[in-house]
Amino acid sequence: MKVTAKDISRNLVELGNSTVAEHSQRFFKTGKGEYGEGDKFLGIRVPIIRKQVKKYKDISLEIISNLLKSSYHEVRLFAVLMLVRKFSNGDDREKSKIYSLYMNSTKYVNNWDLVDSSASYIVGAYLADKDKQPIYDMAKSESLWERRISIMSTFHFIRNNDFSDALKISEILIDDREDLIHKAVGWMLREIGNRSLAIEEEYLKEHYKKMPRTMLRYSIEKLPKEKRKAYLTGTM
């Protein structure tokens, strides 16, 4: 019997836990005026969702696309994790299809965990040997999540010791109004520092005085205590 999007969605609903769901509603800031306003949770832990991804590994992109539009957060997470799995195992043609599907569906990739578990593995990986303009366009998007996709996509480049795009996009986002962007940029700067402290510090010394506090704190988290203090007090 051929599995459908409804079958998978029904299965995920059955795996839900109301206590976990209630906690997730608070953790992912779903209240009025918060970044996840209106999102709905079933209450499924990530390891359980990953098991379901393995179980349904052969489903079509059409089914995944339908699931990505779900009102339930965990169903959308299942969908993006499925896209990551298929992308990593796909040929060039399938990778191109998955990239296009993802880029045309960013309004459904609408919380930080959905972005962080997929952007570098799909967008970053696809654009590694191509024109990076799409992520520069997203860095200037009105959508918080597209801006986060932009900076998080650069994690793929950073892992391969290519820091230039991450640094340029960090500059674009340095005046961003959203704390979730400050955290993501700081995280990527810290990842650069893990690989080349000299390059991170060259960037920091030029920009640290105008960086949002959260961005700066995240970026210097692994530095020695005295150096962190100097950055935070503006005495570098």
Side-chain angles (χ1 to χ4, degrees), residues 17-30 41 43 45:
N17 178 298
S18 59
T19 302
V20 175
E22 187 177 344
H23 174 267
S24 296
Q25 296 282 155
R26 295 192 300 272
F27 184 74
F28 287 98
K29 307 295 185 186
T30 62
F41 285 79
R45 303 287 190 192

Side-chain angles (χ1 to χ4, degrees), residues 174-189:
I174 200 165
D175 295 319
D176 200 278
R177 63 188 179 277
E178 295 288 350
D179 191 59
L180 282 173
I181 300 300
H182 304 167
K183 290 177 179 177
V185 171
W187 176 12
M188 291 303 99
L189 291 172

